[in-house]
Amino acid sequence: MRRLFIVPILTALAVGGWPQDGRASHPRLLLTAGDVANITATMHESPGFMRSLARTRTRVDRYFASDPDVPAPMDAGGGYSHEQHKRNGIAIREAGIVYQLTGDRRYAGHARSLLLAYAELYPGLGEHPMKKEQAPGRLFWQSLNESVWLVNAIQGYDAIVGTLSDNEKSAIEEGLLRPMADFLSVESPQTFDRIHNHGTWAAAAVGMTGYTLDDSAYVEMALYGLNGDGKAGFIRQIDLLLSPDGYYAEGPYYQRYALMPLVVFARSIHNNDPERKIFEYRGGLLLKAIYACIELSYGGLFFPINDAVRGKGLDTVELRHGVAIAYAMTGDPKLLSVARMQKSFVLTSDGFKAAMAADHGKAEPYEHRSMLLRDGPSGEQGGLAILRNGAGPGHQALVFKATAQGMGHGHFDKLHWIFYDNGNEIVADYGAARFLNIERKNGGRYLPENESWAKQTVAHNTLVVDGESHFGARLAVGERFHPDVLYFGSDKGVHVAAASMDGAYEDVSFSRTLVLADGVLADGLVVVDVLDVTGSGARQYDLPVHFKGQVIATTPPLRAKTEELLPLGSANGYQHLWLRAETEVAADALFSMTWLAENRFYTYSIQVEEPLQVLFAELGANDPQINLRREQAVILRMRSTGDSTFVSTLEVHGEYDAAEESTIGSEGSITAIEHFSGGDGALVKIANRRSGERYLALSNQSGHDLEHAITIAGREFEWSGFYGLFDRNGPIRK
Amino acid sequence: MRRLFIVPILTALAVGGWPQDGRASHPRLLLTAGDVANITATMHESPGFMRSLARTRTRVDRYFASDPDVPAPMDAGGGYSHEQHKRNGIAIREAGIVYQLTGDRRYAGHARSLLLAYAELYPGLGEHPMKKEQAPGRLFWQSLNESVWLVNAIQGYDAIVGTLSDNEKSAIEEGLLRPMADFLSVESPQTFDRIHNHGTWAAAAVGMTGYTLDDSAYVEMALYGLNGDGKAGFIRQIDLLLSPDGYYAEGPYYQRYALMPLVVFARSIHNNDPERKIFEYRGGLLLKAIYACIELSYGGLFFPINDAVRGKGLDTVELRHGVAIAYAMTGDPKLLSVARMQKSFVLTSDGFKAAMAADHGKAEPYEHRSMLLRDGPSGEQGGLAILRNGAGPGHQALVFKATAQGMGHGHFDKLHWIFYDNGNEIVADYGAARFLNIERKNGGRYLPENESWAKQTVAHNTLVVDGESHFGARLAVGERFHPDVLYFGSDKGVHVAAASMDGAYEDVSFSRTLVLADGVLADGLVVVDVLDVTGSGARQYDLPVHFKGQVIATTPPLRAKTEELLPLGSANGYQHLWLRAETEVAADALFSMTWLAENRFYTYSIQVEEPLQVLFAELGANDPQINLRREQAVILRMRSTGDSTFVSTLEVHGEYDAAEESTIGSEGSITAIEHFSGGDGALVKIANRRSGERYLALSNQSGHDLEHAITIAGREFEWSGFYGLFDRNGPIRK
């Protein structure tokens, strides 16, 4: 069972191919022997693929110009030994693939020498000296990196195994591959059987090792968990980690990361066990997850919700694999324009297909659209609504986060929203407090401020009650509750999503409707935000708006602190905010704030029935290591004795052109926002300096056929379904 | 004398051309009748020019879709009436030009109706109601805008005069053009005869009006001043405002602005009085000024020294004119790649030549290079040294500001420097505190913080003595002194500039040598900064470094203020800085600070003989209107009893790749910086973790043939000229 049978057809190696004769042939993971024959015969017809191969070959040549160091494990993330082992793992894979695609045995030799060095090193390793709370590895401070390493190395081994002597094979398999696969599986049950991206990486590493070594025990464990009952393992992970819409519970940043083991292992399963029809599983869910990843982005960068390192996007290696596989499976020409944006192609059969098609001009534009991605294994744990006006580079996108908690990387930010315009994040999410792989910033790991700031509710654009975070910032509590999506609709320039949340606070529930409308509720583009809070007794409601840009003016003006800054609070994230300025707004009066971001103006306006305190805050207090970025927020604070409604708008307007020295439309046009409830719904009246009054009626009932009415000041507003739109004359066509 | 003779050859209008018969023909300013004939005959061969014409035509069509408003003057910069008059002025010019190039008389009619409306309005206007300290206009709050308006409008009038009836001509000339030209000249002697960009705009407006109306009195005034003696006027302005290298005293932002009247009036002179050979004047100085403008930029944006609104660069309309004229005069194909970056072409004969050549593939790359631009009318008032390593998009550029004061827009920043790398400003200049044309920010004018912060010495990267700005921030004192350039040299990856400054402080002089070296004084690219201060008695020397990016780590670590922020001082700009963190560094110990900007690391290191106090400050204190951007600086503070030397380095290193999750070289490599003086020079020893010791010897004497020597620890260092470079073995080839 532990012996691998290899057919030594070395004569085929000169052209880098292997005869395609079933399980005995190599390679067999992302690239099969048949693929190699096909690619090498026709790859000169794809300049894009040839460029990617040439770049990889040059990189491998440089890397092996001298013998790569295989250091004793010592450093945490970002440190020398950590980065060197990561590089070595990738080099093993790349050298193997270049060997297959060029037939040049020197590359097989490069991979072999590294694998033999690791086979020498690995058996003597204990737990990594820099282990922390995470499950420790041996080569790396956390076992996750070890899984990633093996996913790379096994592909390299698979590519060169035919060039190895029996002694070499035995040394590498017994000294490195099996001990590592065993370490990641039977010796690490808490990770391996976990429904989590760490578990997915471990399953992929062990399962791909199983296919390569022809060891079906590894494959079975990887698919169905350590004891084979299917309560853990890859199939269960697909069941539980992805929603029916392909949304991954932890959010886009980890969706990308989890995508890699999902798709590369799935591709390996498809190549070795096609009868499992893994890409058809759960209605083609893995392909939906790849598409969802693409949709979870703006300007090529992922929405930075939950723990997310900013700057990650569609050009990552995970998406290069994902998009190539999705194209190979679907032939969807829109995916080719994403592939072209990625600039290079993965050196697999799928990458080759995508490159060839892109080079033959088959790409069609990828147009984002408004959509709801339901969350939870059965799609009933809330969802992420993406409202988009337009689809081009500067389009507006509003992301409404009504998802479940998302495990340990989830933030306490129920019914939070972010907004993009003109290529920029305008209403922002901080993302994670982390400098990935930068050794001197806490070893590249999450910073303490990730817990004390980034995860806290006040770091987001949603309701904070009595200065405390949702669920008291307790993960176990957060995982017991989730929002409910009340409505999602997108039609002719009007995009609407609504959700409700119970359980974030004792005795306080809230629901929120966000509308993105172009030229309907105001002259230009406007976001309308209706946040209904149901509570009892005297409570403090804070609504933060984290915005990017330079404040131009507010009405009423802010009183700035000029001589001293003090923290806004002492806990739950407030301790990190300096109170920079403040003002008060009378009941039923409008507060508005205009800011400039790049060359466009934004005006946020709010009007409520209670007096408002406006707090303008800057991030950076209680930050001894200067770990936090300098960001800013305005916080609208209301003292309520029960139910209250925050109704606010965000206008996009004007243009500031420094080159032409011209400024137009630098002031917002909304002059009043009134909110009425009664009958079977609520009505928001938006008074506009230029285009007069507009009305948004909300029923909070989504049935399209239900009729609603509300009478305000003698005028009756009648509509059917969730919402209605009116101007001074009557209903506006939806 | 006040009557214009027009030859009414209306038959030629159908194709937009006029016979070329000398002074009687129109147009005659930037576009002559002959140009029009030539352009209209061949313009279909230049898609670039056709696109620019089509865009302008569309803009004009839209503008005149309804009758443009000609409001009563009311608002300051950025306000409605201000912007509307600006737009109208441009529309008159553009409608006129489109008429000439298309022959479509509707465009002439558009320009005519606006001109007639202004001829109606103008005579009744008094001083503008929003006038401030600047010389007031009538249409605008400052007369400067009125000059700009006339430069535009006269081009439009020149283009359509042939379509006007005698009554119309008379109405426009007597009601608008002459009254405005008179107002800007004889009625505003303090502006018109001023050697200043406002004077240049006034001269251009009046002179171009003179050519158009065939009124040589206006032309003479414009060229030689109100009383014609040449002590003022355009020729004197060229003599005094531009250095022999084409550097304009106020710096690049105003150089761009002043360039427009300089080149458009010069082009008008060239077309009407070719015998003046204006473009050959002072060794072709106007062309040098255009080239200097191009060199005063990085990544297409101007260096933001002195009063400068950020975001201005080579794509401005001023540079579109300048580059087109320079190309027409020189045929230099490198200018065409600047023109292509500008995306559109001016609709003049010069723009047409550039467009045609660019469209025929004649562009060659514009490669920036290291250079010294001397300042002052005779080039003896210091200069601006631009040190560049490479020339491509991510090259390094160091700008050493050893220029004279630069009049009222100059900052108190003698021997200041800024640094660019990787497309970004890394060591920064704040620029001006101003939101150009944004009405709600002080009417779009300079903000109070421009005086209290942006001009002050501490807002720059240069020496502050006893917390006071250079010259006590008094312009009149600053104009009495200027730095002296001691050395400038650029050779094989080593770029060196040195200058000295006396008079910025009583009893304190300082000199500074800045070296930009690639692979010579360290493994990679490094800036070495040697700042020698000569003083007497106990003084406090502050050296601020304004840097852009996120602090990663310092050695020794900073102690951050976590619970309260207080201003760093009470005056001279210090009142605007919050003290965010601090630390102390022992005498002869190294302080280093690493930060991350985009995907690259930067390490600033300093080591001095005295103990250092390190102050980390953030901008924003005493800023009641939230006018300041949130910027940061580290300030190195030393208490000296006389002469002291700051020796510091800035290393560029490593890479942070979020997409690939890889980080390399995140730590600087310099471990010690020692400074020795003796013999006839000084020696800086730079110890480097990887490449060992390197030495920079400085003689402070620039003669190439002078031999120097210094003996340190028994080793003799010998070199000739200003500087020498050594490693552990001996001299390094220069």
Side-chain angles (χ1 to χ4, degrees):
Chain A
M1 182 75 185
R2 290 200 152 238
R3 291 289 92 203
L4 174 66
F5 179 64
I6 289 278
V7 183
I9 310 184
L10 291 175
T11 51
L13 284 175
V15 293
W18 284 84
Q20 197 170 7
D21 60 352
R23 301 304 298 272
S25 75
H26 288 274
R28 57 172 67 154
L29 296 174
L30 297 187
L31 196 63
T32 67
D35 294 335
V36 170
N38 173 39
I39 293 171
T40 51
T42 55
M43 64 187 179
H44 62 278
E45 294 170 27
S46 169
F49 191 80
M50 291 302 279
R51 264 197 308 276
S52 296
L53 174 57
R55 267 202 293 265
T56 304
R57 185 176 189 158
T58 303
R59 192 163 58 229
V60 172
D61 286 344
R62 258 192 227 131
Y63 197 77
F64 289 97
S66 55
D67 284 344
D69 190 16
V70 179
M74 186 174 299
D75 304 315
Y80 172 74
S81 74
H82 180 94
E83 294 299 318
Q84 181 63 17
H85 288 306
K86 273 171 62 180
R87 282 191 286 268
N88 283 344
I90 293 167
I92 291 168
R93 173 173 57 80
E94 291 193 333
I97 303 303
V98 171
Y99 160 65
Q100 284 289 338
L101 296 180
T102 65
D104 187 335
R105 282 188 78 118
R106 281 177 309 167
Y107 296 100
H110 292 328
R112 180 184 59 208
S113 61
L114 265 184
L115 285 163
L116 287 169
Y118 276 98
E120 190 99 353
L121 173 74
Y122 199 75
L125 297 179
E127 280 189 355
H128 193 279
M130 295 299 282
K131 66 175 178 160
K132 297 269 164 176
E133 66 276 17
Q134 284 84 349
R138 290 177 176 177
L139 282 178
F140 296 95
W141 67 280
Q142 59 172 352
S143 70
L144 170 63
N145 297 101
E146 204 126 323
S147 298
V148 175
W149 194 91
L150 184 53
V151 167
N152 278 303
I154 196 65
Q155 293 179 62
Y157 180 77
D158 177 46
I160 67 152
V161 61
T163 69
L164 301 177
S165 70
D166 284 351
N167 282 346
E168 287 165 343
K169 279 186 288 191
S170 164
I172 293 167
E173 293 185 13
E174 302 307 323
L176 176 65
L177 300 177
R178 288 182 180 277
M180 196 179 261
D182 292 340
F183 170 69
L184 293 173
S185 56
V186 291
E187 295 166 30
S188 304
Q190 74 292 353
T191 301
F192 192 78
D193 275 356
R194 196 171 162 206
I195 304 300
H196 186 274
N197 83 65
H198 291 203
T200 312
W201 275 102
V206 172
M208 290 165 76
T209 302
Y211 282 126
T212 303
L213 306 192
D214 257 343
D215 187 334
S216 62
Y218 283 140
V219 173
E220 291 297 308
M221 276 196 290
L223 291 172
Y224 300 112
L226 286 177
N227 69 12
D229 62 4
K231 288 186 181 157
F234 191 68
I235 301 299
R236 190 71 177 151
Q237 286 162 354
I238 298 176
D239 287 341
L240 294 182
L241 290 175
L242 293 173
S243 84
D245 295 332
Y247 181 78
Y248 176 73
E250 295 184 288
Y253 175 76
Y254 281 99
Q255 172 143 0
R256 162 204 60 82
Y257 192 64
L259 196 69
M260 186 75 153
L262 284 171
V263 300
V264 301
F265 188 28
R267 188 27 129 171
S268 303
I269 295 169
H270 184 89
N271 285 347
N272 290 277
D273 286 332
E275 72 286 357
R276 290 190 190 273
K277 299 188 189 306
I278 189 73
F279 284 106
E280 293 167 41
Y281 187 67
R282 283 190 79 196
L285 192 58
L286 289 173
L287 296 175
K288 284 184 185 166
I290 296 169
Y291 276 97
C293 247
I294 298 170
E295 294 292 347
L296 290 165
S297 69
Y298 182 89
L301 295 178
F302 294 122
F303 305 147
I305 53 176
N306 287 342
D307 281 352
V309 173
R310 303 171 72 87
K312 289 273 188 187
L314 302 183
D315 62 344
T316 48
V317 63
E318 296 87 351
L319 269 287
R320 291 206 295 273
H321 272 286
V323 168
I325 289 174
Y327 177 72
M329 295 289 162
T330 64
D332 178 355
K334 298 197 309 296
L335 293 170
L336 297 175
S337 49
V338 181
R340 286 172 64 160
M341 204 202 74
Q342 294 171 335
K343 296 198 188 103
S344 74
F345 295 94
V346 289
L347 300 178
T348 64
S349 168
D350 302 318
F352 178 66
K353 284 198 186 92
M356 191 70 112
D359 283 338
H360 285 75
K362 299 202 175 140
E364 292 180 8
Y366 191 99
E367 302 225 318
H368 290 292
R369 57 196 173 79
S370 290
M371 60 173 55
L372 172 68
L373 295 170
R374 291 168 296 162
D375 195 7
S378 58
E380 289 170 357
Q381 297 180 13
L384 191 86
I386 309 170
L387 312 182
R388 302 203 195 240
N389 183 52
H395 77 274
Q396 290 91 17
L398 187 160
V399 182
F400 183 25
K401 186 168 184 278
T403 59
Q405 187 58 33
M407 300 184 281
H409 290 299
H411 287 192
F412 301 100
D413 60 354
K414 303 295 108 180
L415 310 196
H416 163 54
W417 67 295
I418 59 179
F419 179 69
Y420 295 90
D421 174 53
N422 196 25
N424 300 312
E425 195 178 350
I426 300 301
V427 175
D429 188 311
Y430 186 84
R434 182 183 189 185
F435 291 90
L436 189 69
N437 289 332
I438 298 183
E439 172 77 13
R440 291 203 284 175
K441 283 294 195 190
N442 197 29
R445 295 183 296 273
Y446 286 98
L447 296 162
E449 290 76 14
N450 197 56
E451 297 295 321
S452 64
W453 166 253
K455 282 187 174 177
Q456 299 291 331
T457 306
V458 72
H460 302 86
N461 308 303
T462 189
L463 179 73
V464 189
V465 177
D466 293 336
E468 291 174 4
S469 287
H470 298 170
F471 316 116
R474 282 166 299 172
L475 174 60
V477 182
E479 294 203 321
R480 294 214 312 270
F481 299 91
H482 60 77
D484 288 307
V485 174
L486 302 176
Y487 181 79
F488 174 82
S490 169
D491 188 29
K492 294 180 191 148
V494 181
H495 313 269
V496 181
S500 65
M501 184 67 211
D502 295 330
Y505 294 103
E506 260 179 63
D507 302 325
V508 178
S509 298
F510 55 107
S511 66
R512 192 169 206 171
T513 300
L514 283 159
V515 180
L516 179 70
D518 195 2
V520 176
L521 284 166
D523 264 0
L525 188 116
V526 71
V527 174
V528 180
D529 175 15
V530 182
L531 175 64
D532 279 310
V533 191
T534 308
S536 63
R539 312 294 285 256
Q540 173 187 289
Y541 297 153
D542 280 358
L543 183 59
V545 181
H546 298 265
F547 65 99
K548 298 238 184 201
Q550 172 77 32
V551 174
I552 297 299
T554 69
T555 306
L558 294 170
R559 296 189 311 278
K561 310 291 180 186
T562 57
E563 292 287 349
E564 183 188 31
L565 292 189
L566 295 171
L568 188 53
S570 59
N572 305 326
Y574 286 80
Q575 75 276 21
H576 290 300
L577 292 167
W578 299 113
L579 176 58
R580 175 73 198 278
E582 59 187 325
T583 192
E584 292 76 37
V585 183
D588 293 317
L590 189 82
F591 170 76
S592 74
M593 177 173 72
T594 298
W595 69 91
L596 174 67
E598 204 181 316
N599 59 344
R600 206 165 280 182
F601 297 92
Y602 302 88
T603 296
Y604 178 82
S605 303
I606 185 166
Q607 183 172 331
V608 298
E609 290 169 17
E610 295 81 358
L612 271 181
Q613 190 182 5
V614 179
L615 306 162
F616 178 45
E618 286 182 5
L619 198 55
N622 285 291
D623 178 18
Q625 310 290 324
I626 311 183
N627 283 337
L628 293 169
R629 300 193 310 271
R630 285 162 300 147
E631 302 287 359
Q632 65 193 349
V634 64
I635 299 176
L636 294 317
R637 175 167 289 179
M638 172 203 294
R639 291 179 200 282
S640 172
T641 54
D643 302 349
S644 291
T645 300
F646 291 87
V647 189
S648 55
T649 57
L650 176 65
E651 294 173 81
V652 174
H653 56 96
E655 189 189 26
Y656 173 76
D657 187 331
E660 299 292 342
E661 300 213 345
S662 89
T663 300
I664 53 172
S666 64
E667 301 199 31
S669 64
I670 289 173
T671 55
I673 307 169
E674 291 176 74
H675 178 254
F676 308 92
S677 50
D680 55 354
L683 187 76
V684 174
K685 173 181 169 182
I686 300 170
N688 187 307
R689 193 171 290 125
R690 285 189 287 271
S691 52
E693 306 157 8
R694 303 296 170 96
Y695 300 85
L696 168 69
L698 297 172
S699 70
N700 295 325
Q701 289 178 294
S702 61
H704 270 289
D705 46 347
L706 294 175
E707 299 291 331
H708 305 278
I710 184 169
T711 303
I712 305 294
R715 174 170 169 189
E716 189 169 46
F717 296 84
E718 292 179 317
W719 72 101
S720 59
F722 187 77
Y723 71 95
L725 303 168
F726 307 86
D727 62 16
R728 135 182 16 187
N729 305 314
I732 305 175
R733 56 94 195 106
K734 277 208 266 195
Chain B
M1 183 71 187
R2 288 197 153 242
R3 291 287 95 202
L4 174 66
F5 180 64
I6 290 275
V7 183
I9 311 186
L10 289 176
T11 51
L13 282 175
V15 294
W18 283 84
Q20 197 170 8
D21 61 351
R23 300 305 298 272
S25 75
H26 287 274
R28 58 171 66 154
L29 296 174
L30 298 187
L31 196 64
T32 66
D35 295 335
V36 169
N38 174 39
I39 293 172
T40 51
T42 55
M43 65 187 178
H44 61 279
E45 294 170 28
S46 170
F49 191 80
M50 292 301 280
R51 263 197 308 275
S52 297
L53 173 57
R55 267 202 294 264
T56 304
R57 185 176 190 159
T58 303
R59 193 163 56 230
V60 172
D61 285 343
R62 259 194 228 130
Y63 198 76
F64 289 96
S66 55
D67 284 344
D69 190 16
V70 179
M74 186 175 298
D75 305 315
Y80 172 74
S81 73
H82 180 94
E83 294 299 319
Q84 182 63 18
H85 288 307
K86 274 172 62 180
R87 283 190 287 267
N88 283 343
I90 292 166
I92 292 168
R93 174 172 56 79
E94 291 192 334
I97 302 304
V98 172
Y99 160 63
Q100 283 290 337
L101 295 180
T102 65
D104 185 335
R105 281 187 80 117
R106 280 177 308 165
Y107 296 100
H110 292 327
R112 180 185 59 211
S113 60
L114 266 184
L115 285 163
L116 287 168
Y118 277 98
E120 190 101 350
L121 173 73
Y122 200 74
L125 297 180
E127 280 191 356
H128 193 279
M130 296 299 281
K131 66 176 178 162
K132 298 269 167 175
E133 67 276 17
Q134 284 84 348
R138 291 178 176 177
L139 282 179
F140 297 95
W141 67 282
Q142 59 172 351
S143 69
L144 170 63
N145 297 101
E146 204 124 325
S147 298
V148 175
W149 193 92
L150 184 51
V151 166
N152 278 304
I154 195 65
Q155 293 179 62
Y157 181 77
D158 177 46
I160 67 152
V161 60
T163 69
L164 301 177
S165 70
D166 283 350
N167 282 346
E168 287 164 344
K169 278 185 288 190
S170 166
I172 294 168
E173 293 185 15
E174 303 306 325
L176 176 66
L177 300 176
R178 288 182 180 277
M180 195 180 262
D182 292 340
F183 169 68
L184 293 172
S185 56
V186 291
E187 295 166 31
S188 305
Q190 73 293 355
T191 301
F192 193 77
D193 276 356
R194 196 170 162 209
I195 305 300
H196 185 275
N197 83 66
H198 291 203
T200 312
W201 276 103
V206 172
M208 290 166 75
T209 302
Y211 282 126
T212 303
L213 306 192
D214 258 343
D215 187 335
S216 63
Y218 283 140
V219 174
E220 290 297 308
M221 275 197 288
L223 290 172
Y224 300 112
L226 286 177
N227 69 12
D229 62 4
K231 287 186 181 157
F234 191 66
I235 302 299
R236 189 69 177 154
Q237 286 163 354
I238 298 176
D239 287 342
L240 294 182
L241 289 175
L242 292 173
S243 85
D245 295 332
Y247 181 78
Y248 175 73
E250 295 184 285
Y253 175 76
Y254 281 99
Q255 172 142 1
R256 162 204 61 81
Y257 192 63
L259 196 69
M260 186 75 153
L262 283 171
V263 300
V264 301
F265 188 26
R267 187 30 128 170
S268 303
I269 296 169
H270 184 89
N271 285 346
N272 290 278
D273 286 332
E275 71 287 355
R276 290 191 190 272
K277 297 187 189 307
I278 190 72
F279 283 107
E280 291 166 42
Y281 186 67
R282 280 191 80 197
L285 192 58
L286 289 173
L287 296 175
K288 284 183 187 167
I290 296 169
Y291 276 96
C293 248
I294 297 170
E295 294 291 347
L296 290 165
S297 69
Y298 181 89
L301 295 179
F302 294 122
F303 306 145
I305 53 176
N306 287 341
D307 280 351
V309 173
R310 305 172 70 90
K312 289 270 189 189
L314 303 183
D315 61 344
T316 46
V317 63
E318 296 89 351
L319 269 287
R320 291 205 295 273
H321 272 286
V323 168
I325 289 175
Y327 177 72
M329 295 289 164
T330 64
D332 177 356
K334 299 197 308 297
L335 294 170
L336 296 176
S337 49
V338 181
R340 287 172 62 162
M341 203 201 74
Q342 293 170 336
K343 297 195 188 103
S344 75
F345 295 95
V346 289
L347 300 179
T348 64
S349 167
D350 303 318
F352 179 65
K353 282 198 186 93
M356 190 69 113
D359 282 337
H360 285 75
K362 298 205 174 136
E364 291 180 10
Y366 192 98
E367 302 226 317
H368 290 293
R369 56 194 176 78
S370 290
M371 60 173 54
L372 172 69
L373 294 170
R374 291 168 296 162
D375 195 7
S378 57
E380 289 170 356
Q381 297 180 12
L384 191 85
I386 308 170
L387 312 182
R388 301 203 195 240
N389 183 53
H395 78 276
Q396 289 91 17
L398 187 159
V399 182
F400 183 24
K401 185 168 185 279
T403 58
Q405 187 59 33
M407 301 183 281
H409 290 300
H411 288 192
F412 300 100
D413 60 353
K414 304 293 110 180
L415 311 194
H416 163 54
W417 67 296
I418 59 178
F419 179 69
Y420 295 90
D421 174 53
N422 196 26
N424 300 311
E425 195 178 352
I426 301 299
V427 175
D429 188 311
Y430 187 84
R434 181 182 190 186
F435 291 89
L436 189 68
N437 289 334
I438 297 183
E439 173 78 13
R440 291 202 285 175
K441 284 293 195 189
N442 197 29
R445 296 183 295 272
Y446 286 97
L447 296 163
E449 291 75 14
N450 197 54
E451 297 295 322
S452 63
W453 165 254
K455 282 186 174 176
Q456 299 291 332
T457 306
V458 73
H460 302 85
N461 307 302
T462 189
L463 180 73
V464 188
V465 177
D466 293 336
E468 291 174 2
S469 286
H470 298 170
F471 316 115
R474 283 167 298 171
L475 173 61
V477 182
E479 294 203 318
R480 295 215 310 271
F481 299 92
H482 60 76
D484 289 307
V485 174
L486 302 176
Y487 181 78
F488 175 82
S490 169
D491 188 28
K492 294 179 191 151
V494 181
H495 313 268
V496 182
S500 65
M501 184 67 212
D502 296 330
Y505 294 103
E506 258 180 63
D507 303 326
V508 178
S509 300
F510 55 106
S511 66
R512 192 170 206 172
T513 301
L514 282 160
V515 180
L516 178 70
D518 194 2
V520 177
L521 285 165
D523 264 0
L525 187 117
V526 70
V527 174
V528 181
D529 174 16
V530 182
L531 175 64
D532 280 310
V533 192
T534 307
S536 63
R539 312 295 285 260
Q540 172 187 289
Y541 297 153
D542 280 357
L543 182 60
V545 181
H546 297 265
F547 64 100
K548 298 237 184 201
Q550 172 76 32
V551 174
I552 297 299
T554 69
T555 308
L558 294 170
R559 295 190 312 279
K561 310 291 180 188
T562 56
E563 292 287 349
E564 184 188 31
L565 291 189
L566 296 171
L568 187 53
S570 58
N572 306 323
Y574 286 81
Q575 75 278 19
H576 289 301
L577 292 167
W578 300 113
L579 177 58
R580 174 73 197 276
E582 59 186 326
T583 191
E584 293 77 36
V585 183
D588 294 317
L590 188 82
F591 170 75
S592 74
M593 176 172 73
T594 298
W595 69 91
L596 174 66
E598 204 181 315
N599 59 343
R600 207 166 280 183
F601 296 93
Y602 302 87
T603 296
Y604 178 82
S605 303
I606 185 166
Q607 185 173 330
V608 298
E609 290 170 16
E610 295 82 355
L612 270 182
Q613 191 182 4
V614 178
L615 306 163
F616 177 46
E618 286 183 4
L619 197 56
N622 285 292
D623 178 18
Q625 309 291 324
I626 312 182
N627 282 338
L628 293 168
R629 299 194 311 271
R630 285 162 301 147
E631 303 286 359
Q632 63 193 350
V634 63
I635 299 176
L636 295 317
R637 175 167 290 180
M638 173 202 293
R639 290 178 200 282
S640 172
T641 55
D643 301 349
S644 291
T645 301
F646 291 86
V647 190
S648 55
T649 58
L650 176 64
E651 294 174 80
V652 175
H653 56 95
E655 190 190 25
Y656 173 77
D657 187 330
E660 298 291 341
E661 301 215 343
S662 89
T663 300
I664 53 173
S666 65
E667 301 200 30
S669 64
I670 288 173
T671 55
I673 307 168
E674 291 176 74
H675 178 254
F676 309 93
S677 50
D680 55 354
L683 187 76
V684 174
K685 173 180 169 182
I686 300 171
N688 187 306
R689 194 171 287 125
R690 285 188 286 273
S691 53
E693 307 156 9
R694 302 296 170 95
Y695 301 86
L696 169 69
L698 297 172
S699 70
N700 295 326
Q701 289 177 294
S702 62
H704 270 290
D705 47 348
L706 294 174
E707 299 290 331
H708 304 278
I710 185 169
T711 303
I712 304 294
R715 175 171 169 190
E716 189 171 45
F717 296 84
E718 292 178 320
W719 73 99
S720 59
F722 186 77
Y723 72 95
L725 303 167
F726 309 85
D727 62 15
R728 134 182 18 187
N729 305 313
I732 306 174
R733 54 88 200 113
K734 277 208 270 196

